[in-house]
Amino acid sequence: MAERANESPIPDDIALDEDAPGPPISVPDTGDAEEGEGGKLKMIMQLLKKSLGVKDIAAMRLSLPASLLEPLPNLEYWHYLDRPDLFAAINDSDDAFERMLAVVRFTFTKDLKFVHGKVCKPYNSVLGEHFRSHWDIPPVQYSSDPSQPPIMRIHSTSNVSVAKSTNTMPSETASVKSVRSGRSSKSTRSGLSLVSKGKQSPSTAATSPQQMSDPTLEGHMSNLSLGDRASAGSGARGAEAAHIRVVYLTEQVSHHPPVSAYYGSCPSRSVEMMGIDQISAKVSGTTLRVAPGSFNKGIYVRITGGAGEGETYHITHPVASVNGILRGSFYITVGDSTIITCTGNKGGPSLRAIIEYKEESWLGRAHFLIEGVIHTYDENETLHEGWTKAKHVPQSRILAVFDGCWRNRVRWRRTATSTSEVDVTSPVDSEYATLVDLSTIQMVPKEVRPLEKQLSNESRKLWDSVTTRLLNKEYGEATKHKLAIEQKQRDEAAERKRKGAQFIPRYFENDISSGVPILTEEGLKAIAEELAEESVLCLKGSAVEADS
């Protein structure tokens, strides 16, 4: 009690989770947010001061004022499918080396929100909350030069003219504004804050973190290619000739610590991914350091058919830092390495890739540089587990090298012939080619069922009362509705405790210890429903037709 008495008093409008570990952290809603970004920065600085020395902020008893949050559910924000077309393209090649190259390309593009958008804080998920969506996208095409990257026919500012160009793209001012229309909403928060304002040059994208505002996408993406939709028929099946569908499902499966499970799939390309999301966050100096939590073992990409059938790619997460706090201009830097390990390859050598994020100088601007290698390894040995940087890999094992900037252009070159029997003793150096140019591609908006078709604990419907008020800048009312949602979660937890019951996830099996979640029957049903959902691309009077 004496320790509790020495703590700062908790304002009445801040509800804290008494079951969470550690001391409570709170920032009262003083109304400063109404003064703009300066007011928000003042409140953030208060929070950081209270967080110094805290081992893991993500596991603390914490309830932020709604004015500090983006009007976006956490489960919608994290999905690793910012470029679903490149995810679907992983199994396009008959060659194992080119499939690994495709996985590396997907890895660089899975979080484009951090390349073109601002750092934001979405809502904390509540236990049992879930989110599902899909994308209908034209498949990528390929150059006659196999060393060149695939041609992306949607949301690309490259000069390739393989698809019909359009002067505008459907308005995406906010998720809640389109979900009320009675059709699937082709929308993410990218239309509000996760897309750069204006057009950046490659040099600007590489060196200048952007502080974004919340305008619509019209005017920002007027030169984007949306693909040729002319040949799409009615419904999801009719669109298959011109488009492929990628579906996604995620659910919050634990509250202490906060953990979610997710699954994504493109059945027409025999590719699926799954994993567990959990982060650990700590204030270090003037930065916020974010690392994977203990349940988060990375992303698992499986190939279930075609040339790569049986392969699994395990993609680990690096460590990130949120910088620029003292200046009020937040940006992300990345450290450590991402390791991509392929198992289950039928014939030929086993492949592994290392993406090494170069250490940034504490003086001067960030450069966001990377280097890496694709190399062979022996699945029956453990020696390769110590190879976490490009320089660790013996030259005789290296098939290709790459370098560049993870916010701009990444280039690669082959260092050995890549045939069915790779001869690693006779390297044949090639010229550098572009692996991916992140400055020319944008996030692809997702399609989400309208609110009236969603369940009560589906993310957009669950948080609709908060999102609507945040968009209207009614911060006090938004905070009240946010606290009501959080209090309901606490009441349900107390009732389970009284009955001696445990929470059982609906869409994923309860055991997540392996890092690879398993869909339940309900989860499989939800995926099937999302695959069968009628496409907004083919609806008469759709946003695409209205704005094209």
Side-chain angles (χ1 to χ4, degrees), residues 521-540:
E521 288 299 321
E522 283 289 321
L524 292 170
K525 180 182 176 182
I527 290 295
E529 290 175 351
E530 203 65 30
L531 285 168
E533 189 72 24
E534 189 169 22
S535 175
V536 70
L537 302 179
C538 310
L539 293 176
K540 184 177 181 180

Side-chain angles (χ1 to χ4, degrees), residues 36 86 97 216 234 242 260 266 270 278 314 370 373 380 439 445 456 477 490 494 501 505 526:
L86 291 181
F97 173 82
T216 64
S234 61
S260 60
C266 181
S270 302
Q278 179 200 6
H314 177 212
I370 62 94
V373 297
N380 298 317
S439 68
S456 59
E477 288 298 310
R490 280 184 288 274

Side-chain angles (χ1 to χ4, degrees), residues 366-388:
H367 295 286
F368 314 106
L369 299 180
I370 62 94
E371 68 176 11
V373 297
I374 297 176
H375 66 87
T376 62
Y377 78 100
D378 189 338
E379 289 190 38
N380 298 317
E381 297 181 355
T382 59
L383 181 64
H384 62 277
E385 295 176 2
W387 302 343
T388 59

Side-chain angles (χ1 to χ4, degrees), residues 116-143:
H116 295 296
K118 73 174 185 179
V119 179
C120 73
K121 175 66 179 75
Y123 312 135
N124 289 333
S125 305
V126 303
L127 191 62
E129 178 184 343
H130 67 281
F131 176 78
R132 51 188 264 201
S133 63
H134 65 267
W135 294 258
D136 287 320
I137 48 174
V140 300
Q141 293 184 339
Y142 295 89
S143 166

Side-chain angles (χ1 to χ4, degrees), residues 120-192:
C120 73
K121 175 66 179 75
Y123 312 135
N124 289 333
S125 305
V126 303
L127 191 62
E129 178 184 343
H130 67 281
F131 176 78
R132 51 188 264 201
S133 63
H134 65 267
W135 294 258
D136 287 320
I137 48 174
V140 300
Q141 293 184 339
Y142 295 89
S143 166
S144 57
D145 182 353
S147 68
Q148 295 301 314
I151 300 164
M152 287 160 278
R153 300 189 293 143
I154 184 170
H155 296 185
S156 172
T157 57
S158 63
N159 293 324
V160 179
S161 58
V162 299
K164 182 180 76 172
S165 62
T166 178
N167 292 326
T168 60
M169 125 175 224
S171 174
E172 294 189 352
T173 51
S175 57
V176 296
K177 290 186 178 180
S178 53
V179 296
R180 300 180 183 281
S181 64
R183 64 172 183 261
S184 297
S185 74
K186 189 171 171 53
S187 171
T188 69
R189 181 59 179 165
S190 62
L192 273 171

Side-chain angles (χ1 to χ4, degrees), residues 192-389:
L192 273 171
S193 65
L194 297 179
V195 178
S196 303
K197 183 176 182 179
K199 188 176 179 181
Q200 296 180 5
S201 67
S203 59
T204 302
T207 59
S208 301
Q210 299 296 308
Q211 184 73 2
M212 312 316 308
S213 58
D214 291 344
T216 64
L217 285 178
E218 285 106 346
H220 292 188
M221 294 175 153
S222 59
N223 59 343
L224 296 185
S225 167
L226 295 180
D228 184 4
R229 309 189 187 279
S231 60
S234 61
R237 291 182 178 274
E240 285 180 356
H243 292 75
I244 54 178
R245 175 162 291 193
V246 175
V247 296
Y248 179 76
L249 173 68
T250 182
E251 180 180 16
Q252 191 77 4
V253 297
S254 171
H255 188 60
H256 300 307
V259 178
S260 60
Y262 60 89
Y263 174 86
S265 176
C266 181
S268 66
R269 292 298 190 267
S270 302
V271 182
E272 61 181 6
M273 74 166 190
M274 67 285 294
I276 301 296
D277 259 338
Q278 179 200 6
I279 64 170
S280 173
K282 181 180 181 179
V283 176
S284 177
T286 59
T287 66
L288 179 65
R289 184 177 182 274
V290 181
S294 59
F295 286 99
N296 186 343
K297 295 176 172 37
I299 302 171
Y300 295 84
V301 175
R302 289 175 176 167
I303 300 181
T304 60
E309 184 175 6
E311 292 178 349
T312 296
Y313 295 83
H314 177 212
I315 307 169
T316 65
H317 294 294
V319 174
S321 295
V322 180
N323 307 270
I325 295 174
L326 295 181
R327 298 194 307 270
S329 179
F330 308 122
Y331 64 96
I332 298 288
T333 56
V334 183
D336 210 351
S337 297
T338 286
I339 309 294
I340 306 172
T341 305
C342 177
T343 56
N345 180 28
K346 299 175 182 177
S350 298
L351 300 181
R352 186 172 180 263
I354 300 172
I355 302 173
E356 181 184 345
Y357 296 89
K358 307 305 290 184
E359 184 177 349
E360 300 285 359
S361 171
W362 65 279
L363 288 175
R365 63 174 60 184
H367 295 286
F368 314 106
L369 299 180
I370 62 94
E371 68 176 11
V373 297
I374 297 176
H375 66 87
T376 62
Y377 78 100
D378 189 338
E379 289 190 38
N380 298 317
E381 297 181 355
T382 59
L383 181 64
H384 62 277
E385 295 176 2
W387 302 343
T388 59
K389 295 185 177 182

Side-chain angles (χ1 to χ4, degrees), residues 4 7 14-26 56-63 256:
R4 180 66 83 161
E7 293 177 359
I14 297 296
L16 299 172
D17 195 333
E18 296 300 329
D19 291 329
I25 298 177
S26 65
D56 186 2
I57 298 174
M60 298 307 297
R61 285 182 280 169
L62 174 64
S63 181
H256 300 307

